[in-house]
Amino acid sequence: MDVLLTLFYILFSICVIYPPTEFVSAGFTIPQLLDSFLGSENMNFIEYHMKRVTVTALIHSALPFGYMLTLWCSGQRGQWMPWFMLASIIGPMIMLLKMTRWWDSDRKKHPVVKALLPYVPPGMNWQILAVDFNAEFRGVDKVSIQLTATSKFIATQTWFIKVSQYSINLVKQNDCALVATATDSHNFSVSGEDEVQYVNIEAIPSDNTIKRFKFRISTTALRELQPRLERPVRVPEHISLLPTLIERFVLVFKQHVERNPVYYVEQDLEVCIGCMQNTADVKLNKLCPPGPPEDNAPPCQQCNCRVLWCGACMGRWWAARAAGAPAAWLAQRGSCPVCRAPFCLLDVCPARARS
């Protein structure tokens, strides 16, 4: 038996079952290679995944037979070959028999259709609900979060959907609670943040006959998902979600601003024009001593705008235009959102109405 050929085929099989990023980018995955046969997921979600699950299960079950065929083509011969070849055919034959049951009896035993059946009213054909489901999925008001190379979580206006290799999970939003069960943090992220946190979430249907399912997403993706939910994700008290990089910067920014001299105004403070929620409570008032410019940065200037912004919005404005490593953002200069007057952190003063 060729050891190198065996190791190569094992690596190939792993990449077929769990395709790495390189395979996905190159289009070497089962859904991408069979795109013309599967059709469009966006146009016909149910039928697309019925075909995808069927083909994926069949190809994966045929991998041992492919290995034996590869050995045969490479010149391997022996008394054990016919027996191993026969054994490798058993898997695809069992899967073909199972697929026959899936697509028989109006396809009600197919894993995709079984996920839809609990929501089919008595006396109604499941295909009628599938048409309504497909129509809703075609809408633009949905969010899709890629979990792994072979799974993803989708939230439409009515449904939660988890797509896996051999099945899908469906549950209606109003019949389900999303509960955070655990978190884990890592000190490296592709986005460049110093720390990224992932949250394990369990979808718990109110109907016990519907299977629960779990998925794992980053806190950033969770914040993007929250506005699309009928009910917010329940986070137990013992679980704490990591703030985003901008939120952490804004907190530190406001702490430094509170150390500067207070700027008193005669009139009552207005609502912040940035968020239209908080009270405008910071004023750009040149207090820093004159000095030589650093790194060709423009010198600070007096801003004559009235109190218009809250500390949180001013901190986000600063962070959105900061460059370099986050640790160096506070040492940089910003510009007034209205008059564009340059200022540094020493010029951002807390504003108070004179009593």
Side-chain angles (χ1 to χ4, degrees):
M1 188 181 296
D2 194 328
V3 176
L4 289 179
L5 183 61
T6 301
L7 292 177
F8 172 78
Y9 195 85
I10 291 175
L11 179 61
F12 170 77
S13 300
I14 293 174
C15 291
V16 170
I17 299 174
Y18 302 106
T21 305
E22 292 76 13
F23 272 48
V24 176
S25 301
F28 195 74
T29 63
I30 294 174
Q32 290 170 319
L33 292 173
L34 301 177
D35 180 68
S36 59
F37 168 73
L38 297 178
S40 172
E41 179 190 43
N42 193 58
M43 295 302 296
N44 197 336
F45 180 90
I46 297 297
E47 183 178 353
Y48 172 89
H49 284 285
M50 288 176 67
K51 294 179 179 179
R52 180 194 61 81
V53 168
T54 303
V55 173
T56 300
L58 180 61
I59 292 177
H60 289 180
S61 67
L63 286 174
F65 177 73
Y67 170 65
M68 299 307 301
L69 194 61
T70 302
L71 289 179
W72 180 272
C73 294
S74 66
Q76 292 290 334
R77 299 292 186 273
Q79 295 181 350
W80 52 272
M81 283 290 290
W83 298 104
F84 275 70
M85 187 73 74
L86 181 62
S88 65
I89 296 177
I90 295 177
M93 295 299 293
I94 294 176
M95 184 52 60
L96 284 171
L97 179 61
K98 195 169 186 177
M99 288 166 49
T100 303
R101 296 181 59 193
W102 284 357
W103 291 85
D104 195 18
S105 301
D106 198 25
R107 297 169 285 180
K108 289 185 177 181
K109 295 183 179 180
H110 195 285
V112 175
V113 179
K114 288 173 68 175
L116 195 64
L117 287 179
Y119 295 100
V120 178
M124 178 190 289
N125 191 302
W126 67 267
Q127 296 181 12
I128 299 177
L129 180 59
V131 171
D132 295 336
F133 182 93
N134 291 334
E136 179 177 327
F137 189 84
R138 285 193 292 270
V140 296
D141 190 21
K142 63 176 180 288
V143 58
S144 178
I145 301 173
Q146 197 71 33
L147 306 177
T148 66
T150 58
S151 64
K152 59 183 175 181
F153 177 81
I154 306 168
T156 68
Q157 188 175 3
T158 307
W159 299 88
F160 290 141
I161 313 160
K162 182 186 177 183
V163 175
S164 305
Q165 283 207 7
Y166 310 121
S167 64
I168 66 171
N169 295 96
L170 295 176
V171 63
K172 285 190 173 181
Q173 286 207 36
N174 55 13
D175 292 336
C176 174
L178 297 182
V179 181
T181 57
T183 60
D184 57 284
S185 301
H186 305 272
N187 292 324
F188 173 80
S189 70
V190 178
S191 62
E193 297 185 11
D194 57 345
E195 188 175 8
V196 62
Q197 184 186 54
Y198 288 91
V199 187
N200 295 338
I201 299 176
E202 183 173 11
I204 307 176
S206 56
D207 187 348
N208 293 330
T209 62
I210 301 175
K211 186 178 179 181
R212 298 184 179 189
F213 62 92
K214 299 179 181 179
F215 58 97
R216 179 174 177 265
I217 60 175
S218 66
T219 51
T220 302
L222 177 59
R223 290 182 175 89
E224 295 175 358
L225 178 64
Q226 288 276 27
R228 308 295 182 94
L229 305 180
E230 291 187 7
R231 306 173 184 174
V233 176
R234 289 164 46 191
V235 181
E237 294 183 356
H238 67 278
I239 293 178
S240 114
L241 299 182
L242 182 71
T244 63
L245 177 63
I246 299 299
E247 290 173 341
R248 282 177 280 165
F249 173 79
V250 167
L251 179 61
V252 176
F253 179 85
K254 292 171 66 176
Q255 290 174 350
H256 280 77
V257 169
E258 289 299 323
R259 301 174 188 171
N260 294 337
V262 177
Y263 183 91
Y264 290 98
V265 296
E266 299 299 332
Q267 69 277 12
D268 293 336
L269 296 176
E270 303 174 3
V271 177
C272 170
I273 64 172
C275 61
M276 299 301 293
Q277 294 180 350
N278 302 325
T279 302
D281 59 1
V282 294
K283 174 69 172 74
L284 301 181
N285 185 33
K286 187 177 183 307
L287 296 175
C288 62
E294 300 178 1
D295 299 329
N296 297 322
C300 296
Q301 299 177 8
Q302 177 61 43
C303 172
N304 297 317
C305 300
R306 69 179 191 272
V307 180
L308 298 173
W309 304 86
C310 66
C313 288
M314 186 63 72
R316 293 189 183 94
W317 173 268
W318 182 299
R321 284 148 184 80
W329 287 359
L330 288 175
Q332 299 181 18
R333 281 184 172 85
S335 62
C336 173
V338 179
C339 68
R340 297 297 191 268
F343 67 93
C344 67
L345 188 60
L346 296 176
D347 300 331
V348 187
C349 300
R352 302 287 186 272
R354 193 184 299 275
S355 56

